[in-house]
Amino acid sequence: MIRNRIAPFFSNGILILLSVFFLLPVYVMVTTSLKPVSEATLAQMWELPSRIDLTSYGIAFEKLEPHLLNTLYLVIPATILSALLGSLNGYILSKWQFTGSNTLFALILFGMFIPYQSILIPLIQFLQKIQLYNTIPGLILVHVVYGIPITTLIFRNFYANIPREVVEAAQLDGNGIWGIYRRIILPLSISGFVVVGIWQFTQIWNEFLFAITITNTSQQPIMVALQNLSGSQIVQWNIQMAGALMAALPTLLVYIFLGKYFIRGLLAGSLKG
Amino acid sequence: MAEAQTVSTVKKGRHREKWISFLFVLPSLIAIFVFVYGFIAWTGYISLTKWNTFLKDLSFAGLANYRFLFADFRFQSDLRNTVVFTLLFMAVCICLGLFLAVLLDRKRKGETLFRNIFLFPMALSFIVTGVVWQWIFNPSTGINLILKQLGVDDPPLWYVQTKVIPDLHLGQLHVGLPLALIAVIIAAAWQLSGFTMAMFLSGLRSISDELKEAARVDGATEWQVFRYILLPALKPITFSAIIILGHISLKIFDLVYAMTGPGAAFVTDMPGLYMVETTFKGSHYAQGAAIAVIMLVLVSLLIIPYLVLTFRKEESL
């Protein structure tokens, strides 16, 4: 009886303590970004701002705005295109398997595990040749292609839950592969598209390696701009934190409002269907 | 009769449709074969050339770039750091993730809130994480302010520390745990422990409650339930978690780039960082390609057996 009363008290205590640790960086980001310059000092890191000062947001926004727009132009088409490709591939690889299709799927999947450094030099040579180096369309192409494995995986697992009879019945009604996809599968795919869309949005928004090697200066996405902002010694600390918060906000909002789907994408990425 | 006839027409159609279905995935297949396998092959070739200047020189150099790297202090440090980082990062993520999952599994009130708090870092970019943790672990502020309040006179130097323990010497390399890596491991574990928690939590939820209850009725303690029922059931998930975390950690780049850079005496350097710097800042393309090939081999050692196992299992179903 005593054990039953102490155990939950104890586990709550640990959970609260760990929550404080997990929220520490958020506390630092939020409080520092709201401080006037005079209070954003090393000695006062943990102190609350004496008054709310939004100047740092104004300055950070001015510096980051063009790059936020770059990322927006990148992330929207790249997410839509890679979700469409993934849906088509997932449909074929789960409902119209042909000889060797499982092996081909495994070969596709390998592409999501490779360190991208191992394709980076040829990729840049290729983008230079087709004149897409240092352009947003170039980055879109890169994210669509290297997004194929994960989007195909998520959709393949998603469509595996649609019974084969549904496809066979539609076939007897005279529908071909494309007709079944358009009339039957696509309307059933909405939550699949939400999961994949959120996953790709988050990944592409946060991506850094391609961003920093394929673009320079005015074409750079937000994460490169944020890194430049915080890497420079002259920029005030409160401005860095305001910038970090602004760069993180879109994916954080997606997580807060659509977290359930985000977690589904996360778990699908671990190959467990 | 009529039914048998329809089935046979469907079957006849199947053969043609298999070809059509192949055509639907063909564009993606071509893209993957060029952008993944073709480019890997090209990188492999570059790593065997003399292209270590701004001007492209694709004359054959044999294994010279690899020989250079394995004798190079920076690359040796990178390999040491990768091994140390991978082992500790995986251990922390798996232990903390499992611990959180077990705590949350038994809890009904407030579970969603706690789960969201532990998982939200997954939605952040490593760059944001790096920028913030860099300040928190800055030796003259952050954590050390708190430690000083608690009466620690001589707080750690975190990522500025250059000491390696136990500091065994192997040629020019100091073998051991570079203390500077601890701050990076904490930041990385902060970001990814929630992920292992979510994996374990979904695993725990799939174990039937009756099984646990039956064991408890039979007089098993909570520890015995954990040790003999939950832990064995979580084995496949732990295996997946090791693969996922392992390949993330072998490739780690953005977090180190934003948080510490290579560090003094390369105590926080990683192969991914060295590759990008030597290729794009130093124009040592062939050396960069060789680093990339070594990274790919390391990741492949982990991933290929996993993919083969997964697909064998699937085909036998």
Side-chain angles (χ1 to χ4, degrees):
Chain A
M1 270 290 116
I2 291 173
R3 206 181 115 215
N4 279 351
R5 234 179 271 166
I6 290 178
F9 183 73
F10 190 64
S11 69
N12 268 336
I14 294 177
L15 284 173
I16 290 170
L17 220 71
L18 281 166
S19 300
V20 170
F21 168 73
F22 270 79
L23 291 173
L24 222 58
V26 179
Y27 174 85
V28 173
M29 266 201 284
V30 174
T31 56
T32 312
S33 66
L34 294 173
K35 283 177 186 172
V37 184
S38 59
E39 288 174 36
T41 64
L42 293 181
Q44 291 165 287
M45 184 193 251
W46 302 109
E47 280 163 34
L48 287 168
S50 62
R51 62 190 168 85
I52 300 229
D53 186 330
L54 294 174
T55 16
S56 59
Y57 281 92
I59 300 170
F61 186 72
E62 204 176 292
K63 289 189 196 258
L64 295 181
E65 192 208 344
H67 304 283
L68 279 166
L69 286 175
N70 285 345
T71 297
L72 218 56
Y73 297 143
L74 159 67
V75 79
I76 293 171
T79 301
I80 294 172
L81 287 173
S82 69
L84 286 173
L85 265 182
S87 160
L88 193 61
N89 293 338
Y91 162 64
I92 298 292
L93 293 174
S94 67
K95 294 283 173 271
W96 297 96
Q97 295 176 335
F98 46 88
T99 327
S101 65
N102 271 341
T103 313
L104 284 176
F105 178 55
L107 287 172
I108 292 177
L109 268 191
F110 183 66
M112 86 185 195
F113 295 106
I114 59 165
Y116 291 131
Q117 277 88 346
S118 66
I119 47 88
L120 202 50
I121 301 171
L123 178 68
I124 287 171
Q125 290 182 301
F126 175 77
L127 289 175
Q128 280 166 340
K129 200 150 275 171
I130 61 169
Q131 315 236 307
L132 285 181
Y133 179 71
N134 194 22
T135 64
I136 302 290
L139 269 184
I140 294 174
L141 173 72
V142 169
H143 282 293
V144 170
V145 170
Y146 293 105
I148 288 174
I150 182 72
T151 57
T152 302
L153 170 68
I154 298 177
F155 271 115
R156 183 177 176 267
N157 287 341
F158 182 80
Y159 292 139
N161 295 326
I162 297 176
R164 194 164 288 277
E165 289 78 48
V166 174
V167 176
E168 274 162 16
Q171 214 178 349
L172 290 178
D173 289 343
N175 288 298
I177 295 182
W178 179 249
I180 297 170
Y181 178 66
R182 223 172 45 99
R183 290 197 197 93
I184 314 289
I185 301 289
L186 217 46
L188 291 171
S189 305
I190 294 167
S191 70
F193 271 98
V194 174
V195 170
V196 168
I198 287 175
W199 182 255
Q200 282 300 86
F201 176 84
T202 310
Q203 291 306 304
I204 300 170
W205 188 280
N206 290 340
E207 203 277 334
F208 185 66
L209 178 61
F210 288 138
I212 198 174
T213 51
I214 289 174
T215 54
N216 43 52
T217 59
S218 67
Q219 300 298 306
Q220 281 169 342
I222 180 67
M223 285 309 154
V224 183
L226 173 65
Q227 164 60 28
N228 291 341
L229 185 75
S230 65
S232 107
Q233 299 295 316
I234 0 159
V235 177
Q236 288 295 332
W237 183 23
N238 52 342
I239 297 166
Q240 291 184 19
M241 290 298 121
L245 207 59
M246 273 193 280
L249 207 59
T251 52
L252 266 185
L253 288 178
V254 164
Y255 175 74
I256 290 167
F257 290 111
L258 297 159
K260 198 177 79 186
Y261 298 99
F262 178 76
I263 294 169
R264 270 168 56 184
L266 198 68
L267 294 175
S270 59
L271 283 192
K272 298 282 295 174
Chain B
M1 279 282 255
E3 206 173 83
Q5 208 173 350
T6 359
V7 169
S8 90
T9 19
V10 168
K11 278 222 171 113
K12 220 179 271 166
R14 275 276 160 84
H15 187 72
R16 197 175 61 94
E17 268 156 347
K18 273 183 184 164
W19 273 105
I20 300 174
S21 69
F22 180 69
L23 290 179
F24 274 100
V25 286
L26 196 60
S28 295
L29 284 176
I30 293 173
I32 290 291
F33 275 89
V34 172
F35 281 73
V36 175
Y37 296 96
F39 285 1
I40 284 175
W42 185 235
T43 302
Y45 179 72
I46 293 174
S47 77
L48 301 173
T49 68
K50 291 181 182 156
W51 188 14
N52 280 316
T53 49
F54 189 74
L55 288 173
K56 197 160 125 197
D57 175 6
L58 290 178
S59 50
F60 192 68
L63 293 174
N65 294 305
Y66 293 91
R67 250 181 267 128
F68 168 82
L69 284 174
F70 283 109
D72 177 34
F73 175 69
R74 181 170 184 181
F75 193 67
Q76 290 175 352
S77 308
D78 291 358
L79 289 179
R80 172 200 62 200
N81 296 347
T82 302
V83 171
V84 171
F85 180 84
T86 301
L87 291 178
L88 288 178
F89 164 72
M90 284 204 290
V92 174
C93 282
I94 285 174
C95 294
L96 188 58
L98 182 61
F99 181 69
L100 291 173
V102 171
L103 280 185
L104 287 185
D105 184 40
R106 290 196 289 171
K107 205 171 155 59
R108 292 289 176 260
K109 228 163 97 194
E111 189 228 308
T112 322
L113 177 69
F114 282 122
R115 205 184 49 206
N116 283 332
I117 290 176
F118 299 137
L119 205 52
F120 87 90
M122 274 300 294
L124 293 183
S125 152
F126 267 131
I127 299 298
V128 172
T129 309
V131 168
V132 182
W133 282 100
Q134 180 193 32
W135 283 104
I136 296 180
F137 280 120
N138 183 319
S140 31
T141 174
I143 299 277
N144 282 1
L145 283 185
I146 299 177
L147 290 177
K148 274 183 189 152
Q149 283 289 318
L150 294 172
V152 181
D153 290 328
D154 188 22
L157 285 173
W158 300 111
Y159 54 77
V160 186
Q161 175 68 266
T162 53
K163 229 184 248 164
V164 178
I165 53 164
D167 200 11
L168 309 166
H169 285 258
L170 186 80
Q172 54 187 347
L173 184 70
H174 303 252
V175 181
L177 160 70
L179 291 175
L181 274 182
I182 291 174
V184 187
I185 291 166
I186 294 176
W190 173 81
Q191 183 140 22
L192 285 154
S193 292
F195 171 55
T196 39
M197 176 201 72
M199 285 179 80
F200 283 129
L201 208 51
S202 79
L204 288 171
R205 293 279 148 86
S206 65
I207 302 170
S208 79
D209 281 334
E210 287 104 67
L211 193 63
K212 291 182 250 181
E213 273 318 304
R216 285 190 189 115
V217 169
D218 286 345
T221 63
E222 282 306 308
W223 169 252
Q224 284 170 323
V225 171
F226 174 73
R227 174 70 190 80
Y228 295 106
I229 296 177
L230 303 188
L231 219 48
L234 291 178
K235 233 187 220 164
I237 290 189
T238 314
F239 182 64
S240 300
I242 288 176
I243 303 290
I244 304 290
L245 295 173
H247 98 277
I248 291 175
S249 118
L250 291 174
K251 298 194 297 197
I252 193 117
F253 168 72
D254 350 11
L255 178 65
V256 186
Y257 191 104
M259 190 172 162
T260 63
F266 305 118
V267 277
T268 55
D269 199 38
M270 294 289 166
L273 199 58
Y274 189 12
M275 187 277 170
V276 170
E277 285 195 352
T278 198
T279 309
F280 300 106
K281 286 191 188 146
S283 297
H284 302 297
Y285 291 90
Q287 276 167 26
I291 298 172
V293 168
I294 297 167
M295 289 175 74
L296 182 70
V297 169
L298 290 176
V299 170
S300 302
L301 289 176
L302 197 69
I303 294 301
I304 290 176
Y306 181 61
L307 284 178
V308 170
L309 275 175
T310 308
F311 279 89
R312 279 237 183 93
K313 219 187 292 163
E314 196 167 279
E315 255 154 40
S316 66
L317 282 180

